[in-house]
Amino acid sequence: MKNKLSKIVITDLRKYLLAHLGLNFSEKRETELIQKLKPAAKEFGFKDVSEFAQWLLRNGLSNKQLEILASYLTIGETYFLREKKSFDFLEKSYLPSIIQKRTGKDKQIRIWSAGSASGEEAYSIAITLLKIIPNIKDWNITILATDINPDMLKKAKKGIYTKWSFRNNPDWFISKYFQKVEGNLFQILPEIKNMVTFSPLNLAKDIYPSLLNNTNAMDIIFCRNVLIYFSQEGIRDVTNRLYKSLLPDGVLIVSPVEMSNLISPKFAKINYEGYTIYQKGLIKDTKESLKKNQLQKLTDKYKLIQSTFNQSVKKRVISNKPIKEIEIEKNSNYKQAIILFEQGLFEQTENLLSKLLADDKENHKQIISLLAKTKANLGKLEEARLLCDKGLEIDKTDYSLYYLNATVKQEQGNDEEAISSLRRAIYFDHNFVLAHFLLGNLSIKRGNIATGQKYINNAINILSNLDSDDIVPESDGLTVGRFTEIITALKI
């Protein structure tokens, strides 16, 4: 096998991996990159690394192929309660305060393990919650575990581990939370396994925060030993988006080896026994910080929008159809709210839309819909549900509001009403692919496997009739091709 790559090829290959996977292989890591490409080349049917690299650069890879390649270029090795201080912080400091605040009120906790590998981290989170939350069945717990590597997701879903995954853990840990299945293999107990949802996600390219993939309104995000693979720009971009995925006062937990100076400066730092935790909300998104980082961009976009509306006014005045200035102002403010929403600035979006809603007494379904979605992204589920109901009073045929209502009710633990809303969404738009997909998942979750599979197949059939580069309606920008790959991975 030819293992040597020309300078041009390896330079182009490094650029390709950075652009499509966010993986940063510097010149110093070229030898490491070539070594990792050897088994990857065999996987793709090539005996020659050089030939494989040139083929890759010439033809490119689909998202599915990129995920396979990523499985060879990243390390998925981990173990239970790794970097124990981070779990001590949750158990002894952070989670008790959340539990105290939400007991008797909004009893929900949302945690995301981003880059979950073979599942040990996500299951460690579940075990930690079981230890400290009394009557945990009364709580609405979300533990989302994502990874780019499909093979790791398969292993994680099985929840079967060797003793190597329990190093640095006492024997009682295994006996309390696992059952022996054969030889030296141990499987996580079903009640713990069922607390975690595994899903494919590419931190470099996929969309987050988003209601679609459940990456919004998180209390805690683990993103450990993942950022080390990204470039400086990639680290800043990913941590900026993780910041938006957190609720105010939510925390980001990274590995101590990952460079703190590259993590988004929006985060405040908490020192817990020498372990750095990153928190949202201590450094607030005030007008001053907006001026420094985003206000100019927003102002430029606002001016462009205003100019567009002014041109519209001129045209309509010429045709003797004048527009009231107050209508122009409302539309401009609504467009500004859309800009804020798309940037993940949900608190600012909420404030602006709430003012618009108070001023606008009629024809405000668009404002209600966006405000409902904003509330859901902020984890204000009951407020979002009431807004959905209000919007549907105006238009009982709005399938997108039925879908949003269903996602909120699902998150509240009311699957039966969620299913009812999804059926209404499909009634008013039979090709609404997201409703078919979610209805399939909910049906399978409730044990209706045949019905669930029918709706999943419906979603796949609808997608097959669309161009892979088309955007899936109501998906926050997800392409048909990528959504097809996600459904395929989730069917595993």
Side-chain angles (χ1 to χ4, degrees), residues 283-431:
I283 299 176
K284 297 185 182 297
D285 288 325
T286 61
K287 290 182 179 178
E288 288 303 314
S289 63
L290 274 174
K291 283 180 182 177
K292 292 180 181 179
N293 300 309
Q294 295 161 327
L295 190 56
Q296 188 58 51
K297 291 181 181 179
L298 289 174
T299 301
D300 291 343
K301 288 185 179 182
Y302 182 83
K303 286 178 179 178
L304 179 61
I305 292 165
Q306 188 66 55
S307 173
T308 301
F309 278 101
N310 288 341
Q311 291 298 321
S312 174
V313 171
K314 289 178 183 178
K315 290 178 182 178
R316 294 178 72 175
V317 167
I318 290 171
S319 62
N320 297 317
K321 292 182 180 178
I323 301 177
K324 295 179 182 178
E325 289 184 10
I326 191 168
E327 291 176 343
I328 301 167
E329 184 179 348
K330 284 177 185 175
N331 286 330
S332 298
N333 287 335
Y334 177 71
K335 291 290 185 181
Q336 189 178 9
I338 292 174
I339 293 169
L340 289 166
F341 182 89
E342 289 175 347
Q343 292 187 344
L345 301 172
F346 301 125
E347 290 89 354
Q348 292 92 323
T349 308
E350 180 187 30
N351 291 335
L352 181 54
L353 288 173
S354 296
K355 290 176 184 177
L356 284 175
L357 192 60
D359 295 338
D360 190 3
K361 301 302 181 186
E362 55 185 39
N363 301 322
H364 54 280
K365 194 190 76 169
Q366 282 184 309
I367 298 172
I368 290 173
S369 296
L370 186 57
L371 183 55
K373 196 171 184 181
T374 302
K375 296 277 191 184
N377 272 297
L378 288 168
K380 299 179 180 180
L381 300 179
E382 186 58 20
E383 292 179 42
R385 186 191 66 78
L386 291 172
L387 283 165
C388 286
D389 290 345
K390 189 174 182 179
L392 288 168
E393 287 176 7
I394 299 171
D395 182 1
K396 288 183 170 58
T397 68
D398 190 331
Y399 58 87
S400 63
L401 274 176
Y402 282 118
Y403 172 75
L404 178 58
N405 203 18
T407 62
V408 169
K409 287 176 176 176
Q410 179 199 17
E411 189 59 34
Q412 290 179 315
N414 196 336
D415 289 352
E416 190 171 336
E417 287 191 18
I419 288 172
S420 178
S421 287
L422 290 169
R423 285 175 176 159
R424 287 190 178 95
I426 292 171
Y427 176 80
F428 289 112
D429 183 355
H430 187 67
N431 290 319

Side-chain angles (χ1 to χ4, degrees), residues 107-211:
K107 298 170 74 171
Q108 66 171 5
I109 295 175
R110 292 171 55 80
I111 305 176
W112 177 12
S113 169
S116 61
S118 46
E120 287 94 332
E121 179 177 86
Y123 291 133
S124 294
I125 293 168
I127 289 169
T128 301
L129 291 175
L130 277 173
K131 285 172 65 180
I132 66 172
I133 300 181
N135 303 317
I136 195 168
K137 290 182 180 179
D138 296 335
W139 284 72
N140 186 5
I141 303 292
T142 296
I143 303 173
L144 173 68
T146 65
D147 202 275
I148 193 175
N149 187 336
D151 291 332
M152 284 295 175
L153 288 174
K154 289 180 189 176
K155 181 177 179 181
K157 288 177 184 178
K158 291 177 181 176
I160 298 174
Y161 302 94
T162 66
K163 282 197 172 181
W164 183 240
S165 289
F166 304 107
R167 58 192 183 277
N168 300 331
N169 286 284
D171 290 339
W172 65 260
F173 181 84
I174 302 177
S175 61
K176 185 170 183 178
Y177 300 114
F178 296 82
Q179 53 190 4
K180 195 169 185 178
V181 286
E182 58 178 288
N184 288 320
L185 296 178
F186 301 85
Q187 186 168 35
I188 193 86
L189 294 177
E191 56 266 34
I192 302 173
K193 184 179 179 182
N194 293 335
M195 292 175 67
V196 182
T197 300
F198 291 95
S199 182
L201 189 136
N202 182 338
L203 285 170
K205 296 190 71 177
D206 283 339
I207 300 163
Y208 56 96
S210 173
L211 290 170

Side-chain angles (χ1 to χ4, degrees), residues 1-4 34-35 37-43 46-52:
M1 179 183 283
K2 295 181 182 178
N3 293 328
K4 190 159 184 173
I34 292 171
Q35 288 299 114
L37 284 173
K38 289 179 184 179
K42 289 181 180 179
E43 173 77 22
F46 292 88
K47 295 181 179 179
D48 188 326
V49 169
S50 177
E51 186 181 351
F52 169 57

Side-chain angles (χ1 to χ4, degrees), residues 431-444:
N431 290 319
F432 189 15
V433 65
L434 294 184
H436 283 281
F437 174 65
L438 183 54
L439 190 50
N441 282 339
L442 283 174
S443 298
I444 291 170

Side-chain angles (χ1 to χ4, degrees), residues 77-123:
E77 189 275 333
T78 184
Y79 55 90
F80 283 92
L81 297 177
R82 184 179 184 180
E83 295 168 4
K84 193 171 182 302
K85 279 189 180 179
S86 61
F87 290 97
D88 288 341
F89 167 75
L90 294 186
E91 183 178 345
K92 299 174 183 178
S93 176
Y94 187 72
L95 282 173
S97 65
I98 289 183
I99 294 166
Q100 184 178 11
K101 288 176 186 176
R102 297 181 186 172
T103 296
K105 298 178 183 178
D106 187 13
K107 298 170 74 171
Q108 66 171 5
I109 295 175
R110 292 171 55 80
I111 305 176
W112 177 12
S113 169
S116 61
S118 46
E120 287 94 332
E121 179 177 86
Y123 291 133

Side-chain angles (χ1 to χ4, degrees), residues 8 16 56 87 96 191 205 227 288 330 395 449 465 475:
I8 293 175
Y16 182 88
L56 183 158
F87 290 97
E191 56 266 34
K205 296 190 71 177
L227 300 177
E288 288 303 314
K330 284 177 185 175
D395 182 1
I449 308 298
N465 292 318
S475 71

